[in-house]
Amino acid sequence: MKIVKVKNYEEMSKRACSIILEKVNSVENPVLGLATGSTPEGLYKYIIDAYKQNEVSFKDVTTFNLDEYIGLDKHNVNSYYTYMKEKLFKHLDIRPENYHLPNGSADDIKKECEQYEKLIEQAGHIDIQVLGIGVNGHIGFNEPGTPFTSRTHVVDLAESTRLANARFFDTLADVPTQAITMGIETIMESKTILLLVSGEQKAEALARLLDGPVSEDVPASILMEHPNVIVIADEAAWQ
Ligand code: PGA
């Protein structure tokens, strides 16, 4: 595991951006795994800037997002589809058929999960997966207790996750109770993993990942067993 300590959120985002650009510019038909939430917003801004400066093209890039809420239409303002469209995709030359998120409104959710796995496999697996970490140590929406052998599946969101995400919704009751997420094994098949950690609210989760045992109680702890992980964490996350 390579650990990069940076001063603050901006520096974390810039460093992450240069790693992503390097990957996109060096791999043929790159496959990116992407995340939502507050953590990668800065990274996406820097990617858009780089695209505008002609430093990179996403014409041959395929992407897979980690997760999507169940029960929100994809055009809902709080869906992860809308997040990705607004904060990244619509600003780039990525082809609409090349970006993927699980469909949380699918009639047959189990089939949707299986299909998502198949698409990732057909794309040749993820070259680099961007990850945030939950305050409870989750990755994607794999909450504590999720088997390390899990594939893309439906999850009941932990109360702490719903509370953490309530800031994007009018009320806590509006936060969906379920989501589809890539499984832990699916994430672990990514060739490289880029974990971004910012802010003191993540300090405990980061410490449990770095110092604690590898345990399903801390989903992110499995990253210790991945051969190619880069963690970029800011000073606040180290306290
Ligand atoms: P955040 O979420 O980036 O909004 O803090 C990260 C996560 O829950 O994985």
Short mmCIF file of all heavy atoms in Angstrom, two decimals, residues 9 35-41 66-67 80 83 131-141 143 161 164-165 167-168 195-196 198 201-202, ligand 1:
data_model
loop_
_atom_site.label_atom_id
_atom_site.label_comp_id
_atom_site.label_asym_id
_atom_site.label_seq_id
_atom_site.Cartn_x
_atom_site.Cartn_y
_atom_site.Cartn_z
N TYR A 9 -7.56 19.13 1.29
CA TYR A 9 -8.46 18.55 0.29
C TYR A 9 -8.03 18.89 -1.15
O TYR A 9 -8.05 18.03 -2.03
CB TYR A 9 -9.88 19.07 0.56
CG TYR A 9 -10.92 18.54 -0.40
CD1 TYR A 9 -11.48 17.28 -0.21
CD2 TYR A 9 -11.33 19.30 -1.50
CE1 TYR A 9 -12.42 16.78 -1.10
CE2 TYR A 9 -12.28 18.81 -2.39
CZ TYR A 9 -12.82 17.55 -2.18
OH TYR A 9 -13.74 17.06 -3.06
N ALA A 35 -16.54 7.02 -8.05
CA ALA A 35 -17.28 7.09 -6.79
C ALA A 35 -18.04 8.41 -6.73
O ALA A 35 -17.72 9.35 -7.46
CB ALA A 35 -16.30 7.02 -5.63
N THR A 36 -19.03 8.47 -5.86
CA THR A 36 -19.77 9.72 -5.65
C THR A 36 -19.47 10.22 -4.23
O THR A 36 -18.53 9.76 -3.61
CB THR A 36 -21.28 9.49 -5.86
OG1 THR A 36 -21.65 8.34 -5.10
CG2 THR A 36 -21.59 9.26 -7.33
N GLY A 37 -20.26 11.15 -3.75
CA GLY A 37 -20.04 11.71 -2.41
C GLY A 37 -19.21 12.98 -2.50
O GLY A 37 -18.85 13.44 -3.58
N SER A 38 -18.88 13.53 -1.34
CA SER A 38 -18.14 14.80 -1.30
C SER A 38 -16.68 14.60 -1.69
O SER A 38 -16.06 15.49 -2.28
CB SER A 38 -18.17 15.40 0.10
OG SER A 38 -19.48 15.59 0.51
N THR A 39 -16.13 13.46 -1.34
CA THR A 39 -14.69 13.27 -1.49
C THR A 39 -14.18 13.48 -2.92
O THR A 39 -13.19 14.19 -3.11
CB THR A 39 -14.29 11.88 -0.95
OG1 THR A 39 -14.80 11.76 0.38
CG2 THR A 39 -12.79 11.68 -0.96
N PRO A 40 -14.79 12.87 -3.95
CA PRO A 40 -14.19 13.01 -5.29
C PRO A 40 -14.59 14.26 -6.06
O PRO A 40 -14.16 14.44 -7.20
CB PRO A 40 -14.69 11.75 -6.02
CG PRO A 40 -15.93 11.35 -5.33
CD PRO A 40 -15.89 11.90 -3.95
N GLU A 41 -15.38 15.15 -5.44
CA GLU A 41 -15.84 16.33 -6.20
C GLU A 41 -14.67 17.18 -6.72
O GLU A 41 -14.68 17.65 -7.85
CB GLU A 41 -16.77 17.19 -5.34
CG GLU A 41 -18.15 16.61 -5.24
CD GLU A 41 -19.15 17.58 -4.62
OE1 GLU A 41 -18.86 18.79 -4.55
OE2 GLU A 41 -20.21 17.11 -4.20
N LEU A 66 -19.47 2.87 -8.46
CA LEU A 66 -19.56 1.89 -7.39
C LEU A 66 -21.00 1.51 -7.04
O LEU A 66 -21.28 0.36 -6.72
CB LEU A 66 -18.95 2.46 -6.10
CG LEU A 66 -17.45 2.56 -6.03
CD1 LEU A 66 -17.04 3.43 -4.84
CD2 LEU A 66 -16.85 1.17 -5.88
N ASP A 67 -21.87 2.53 -7.05
CA ASP A 67 -23.17 2.24 -6.45
C ASP A 67 -24.25 3.20 -6.92
O ASP A 67 -23.96 4.21 -7.57
CB ASP A 67 -23.06 2.27 -4.91
CG ASP A 67 -22.20 3.44 -4.40
OD1 ASP A 67 -22.09 4.45 -5.11
OD2 ASP A 67 -21.66 3.32 -3.30
N TYR A 80 -27.23 8.98 -8.06
CA TYR A 80 -25.81 9.06 -8.38
C TYR A 80 -25.59 9.23 -9.89
O TYR A 80 -24.57 9.75 -10.32
CB TYR A 80 -25.08 7.83 -7.83
CG TYR A 80 -24.91 7.91 -6.32
CD1 TYR A 80 -24.60 6.79 -5.56
CD2 TYR A 80 -25.05 9.12 -5.65
CE1 TYR A 80 -24.45 6.87 -4.19
CE2 TYR A 80 -24.90 9.21 -4.28
CZ TYR A 80 -24.59 8.09 -3.55
OH TYR A 80 -24.43 8.19 -2.20
N TYR A 83 -25.70 12.92 -10.21
CA TYR A 83 -24.43 13.44 -9.68
C TYR A 83 -23.33 13.31 -10.72
O TYR A 83 -22.61 14.27 -11.03
CB TYR A 83 -24.09 12.65 -8.40
CG TYR A 83 -22.70 12.91 -7.81
CD1 TYR A 83 -22.54 13.54 -6.59
CD2 TYR A 83 -21.54 12.50 -8.47
CE1 TYR A 83 -21.28 13.76 -6.04
CE2 TYR A 83 -20.28 12.71 -7.93
CZ TYR A 83 -20.15 13.33 -6.72
OH TYR A 83 -18.90 13.55 -6.21
N LEU A 131 -11.96 5.35 -4.73
CA LEU A 131 -12.78 5.01 -3.56
C LEU A 131 -12.75 6.14 -2.54
O LEU A 131 -11.70 6.75 -2.33
CB LEU A 131 -12.23 3.79 -2.83
CG LEU A 131 -12.42 2.38 -3.36
CD1 LEU A 131 -11.86 1.40 -2.33
CD2 LEU A 131 -13.89 2.08 -3.64
N GLY A 132 -13.88 6.35 -1.89
CA GLY A 132 -13.90 7.12 -0.65
C GLY A 132 -14.03 6.10 0.47
O GLY A 132 -14.06 4.89 0.23
N ILE A 133 -14.12 6.58 1.68
CA ILE A 133 -14.33 5.67 2.81
C ILE A 133 -15.45 6.24 3.67
O ILE A 133 -15.53 7.46 3.85
CB ILE A 133 -13.02 5.46 3.61
CG1 ILE A 133 -13.18 4.36 4.67
CG2 ILE A 133 -12.53 6.75 4.25
CD1 ILE A 133 -11.84 3.95 5.32
N GLY A 134 -16.34 5.38 4.14
CA GLY A 134 -17.42 5.86 5.02
C GLY A 134 -16.90 6.07 6.43
O GLY A 134 -15.85 5.52 6.80
N VAL A 135 -17.63 6.84 7.23
CA VAL A 135 -17.22 7.03 8.62
C VAL A 135 -17.18 5.69 9.36
O VAL A 135 -16.44 5.52 10.32
CB VAL A 135 -18.15 8.02 9.38
CG1 VAL A 135 -17.86 9.44 8.96
CG2 VAL A 135 -19.62 7.69 9.17
N ASN A 136 -17.96 4.73 8.89
CA ASN A 136 -17.95 3.40 9.51
C ASN A 136 -17.01 2.43 8.79
O ASN A 136 -17.04 1.23 9.03
CB ASN A 136 -19.38 2.83 9.56
CG ASN A 136 -19.97 2.64 8.16
OD1 ASN A 136 -19.31 2.88 7.14
ND2 ASN A 136 -21.22 2.21 8.09
N GLY A 137 -16.19 2.95 7.90
CA GLY A 137 -15.22 2.10 7.20
C GLY A 137 -15.77 1.42 5.95
O GLY A 137 -15.11 0.57 5.36
N HIS A 138 -16.97 1.83 5.52
CA HIS A 138 -17.50 1.18 4.32
C HIS A 138 -16.76 1.62 3.06
O HIS A 138 -16.14 2.69 3.02
CB HIS A 138 -19.02 1.36 4.18
CG HIS A 138 -19.50 2.71 3.75
ND1 HIS A 138 -20.77 3.17 3.98
CD2 HIS A 138 -18.88 3.72 3.08
CE1 HIS A 138 -20.92 4.36 3.47
NE2 HIS A 138 -19.78 4.73 2.92
N ILE A 139 -16.79 0.75 2.04
CA ILE A 139 -16.30 1.12 0.71
C ILE A 139 -17.42 0.78 -0.27
O ILE A 139 -18.05 -0.26 -0.16
CB ILE A 139 -14.97 0.41 0.32
CG1 ILE A 139 -15.00 -1.09 0.60
CG2 ILE A 139 -13.79 1.08 1.01
CD1 ILE A 139 -13.76 -1.84 0.11
N GLY A 140 -17.63 1.67 -1.25
CA GLY A 140 -18.89 1.58 -1.97
C GLY A 140 -19.97 1.69 -0.90
O GLY A 140 -19.82 2.44 0.06
N PHE A 141 -21.03 0.90 -1.03
CA PHE A 141 -22.01 0.86 0.06
C PHE A 141 -21.90 -0.47 0.80
O PHE A 141 -22.87 -0.96 1.36
CB PHE A 141 -23.42 1.06 -0.50
CG PHE A 141 -23.88 2.50 -0.54
CD1 PHE A 141 -24.60 2.97 -1.63
CD2 PHE A 141 -23.62 3.37 0.51
CE1 PHE A 141 -25.05 4.28 -1.68
CE2 PHE A 141 -24.07 4.69 0.47
CZ PHE A 141 -24.79 5.14 -0.62
N GLU A 143 -21.38 -2.13 3.76
CA GLU A 143 -21.39 -1.74 5.16
C GLU A 143 -20.66 -2.79 6.01
O GLU A 143 -20.44 -3.92 5.55
CB GLU A 143 -22.84 -1.58 5.64
CG GLU A 143 -23.67 -0.58 4.83
CD GLU A 143 -23.30 0.89 5.09
OE1 GLU A 143 -22.18 1.17 5.57
OE2 GLU A 143 -24.13 1.77 4.78
N THR A 161 -24.73 5.74 7.67
CA THR A 161 -24.57 6.14 6.27
C THR A 161 -25.73 7.05 5.84
O THR A 161 -25.52 8.08 5.20
CB THR A 161 -24.53 4.88 5.37
OG1 THR A 161 -23.42 4.08 5.78
CG2 THR A 161 -24.40 5.24 3.91
N ALA A 164 -25.17 10.36 7.40
CA ALA A 164 -24.08 11.09 6.73
C ALA A 164 -24.55 11.66 5.39
O ALA A 164 -24.11 12.73 4.98
CB ALA A 164 -22.88 10.16 6.54
N ASN A 165 -25.44 10.94 4.72
CA ASN A 165 -25.87 11.38 3.39
C ASN A 165 -27.11 12.27 3.42
O ASN A 165 -27.50 12.83 2.40
CB ASN A 165 -26.12 10.17 2.49
CG ASN A 165 -24.81 9.48 2.12
OD1 ASN A 165 -23.76 9.87 2.59
ND2 ASN A 165 -24.87 8.49 1.27
N ARG A 167 -27.46 15.11 4.39
CA ARG A 167 -27.20 16.51 4.05
C ARG A 167 -27.56 16.84 2.60
O ARG A 167 -27.76 18.00 2.26
CB ARG A 167 -25.72 16.85 4.31
CG ARG A 167 -24.72 16.11 3.44
CD ARG A 167 -23.29 16.33 3.98
NE ARG A 167 -22.24 15.90 3.08
CZ ARG A 167 -21.83 14.65 2.95
NH1 ARG A 167 -22.39 13.69 3.66
NH2 ARG A 167 -20.85 14.35 2.12
N PHE A 168 -27.66 15.82 1.76
CA PHE A 168 -28.01 16.08 0.36
C PHE A 168 -29.53 16.08 0.14
O PHE A 168 -30.01 16.43 -0.93
CB PHE A 168 -27.40 15.00 -0.55
CG PHE A 168 -25.89 14.96 -0.48
CD1 PHE A 168 -25.23 13.90 0.10
CD2 PHE A 168 -25.14 16.00 -1.00
CE1 PHE A 168 -23.84 13.85 0.16
CE2 PHE A 168 -23.76 15.98 -0.94
CZ PHE A 168 -23.10 14.90 -0.37
N LEU A 195 -7.60 5.29 -3.02
CA LEU A 195 -8.48 5.63 -1.90
C LEU A 195 -8.21 7.07 -1.46
O LEU A 195 -7.07 7.42 -1.13
CB LEU A 195 -8.23 4.67 -0.73
CG LEU A 195 -9.01 4.99 0.56
CD1 LEU A 195 -10.51 4.75 0.38
CD2 LEU A 195 -8.48 4.15 1.73
N LEU A 196 -9.26 7.87 -1.44
CA LEU A 196 -9.13 9.27 -1.05
C LEU A 196 -9.78 9.48 0.31
O LEU A 196 -10.93 9.07 0.53
CB LEU A 196 -9.82 10.17 -2.09
CG LEU A 196 -9.36 9.96 -3.54
CD1 LEU A 196 -10.12 10.93 -4.47
CD2 LEU A 196 -7.86 10.16 -3.67
N SER A 198 -10.33 12.45 3.32
CA SER A 198 -10.17 13.86 3.71
C SER A 198 -11.06 14.20 4.90
O SER A 198 -12.23 13.82 4.93
CB SER A 198 -10.54 14.76 2.52
OG SER A 198 -10.59 16.11 2.93
N GLN A 201 -13.46 13.79 10.24
CA GLN A 201 -14.54 12.81 10.46
C GLN A 201 -14.18 11.43 9.90
O GLN A 201 -14.82 10.43 10.21
CB GLN A 201 -15.88 13.33 9.87
CG GLN A 201 -16.01 13.36 8.36
CD GLN A 201 -15.29 14.54 7.70
OE1 GLN A 201 -14.51 15.25 8.32
NE2 GLN A 201 -15.52 14.72 6.42
N LYS A 202 -13.09 11.39 9.08
CA LYS A 202 -12.67 10.11 8.52
C LYS A 202 -11.44 9.53 9.25
O LYS A 202 -10.96 8.45 8.90
CB LYS A 202 -12.31 10.28 7.03
CG LYS A 202 -13.47 10.75 6.16
CD LYS A 202 -14.57 9.71 6.08
CE LYS A 202 -15.81 10.20 5.34
NZ LYS A 202 -15.59 10.47 3.93
P1 PGA B 1 -18.15 11.11 1.25
O1 PGA B 1 -18.59 9.59 1.28
O2 PGA B 1 -17.17 11.22 0.15
O3 PGA B 1 -19.41 11.88 0.97
O4 PGA B 1 -17.57 11.41 2.59
C1 PGA B 1 -17.63 8.61 1.19
C2 PGA B 1 -18.27 7.26 1.38
O5 PGA B 1 -19.29 7.20 2.09
O6 PGA B 1 -17.77 6.27 0.85
#
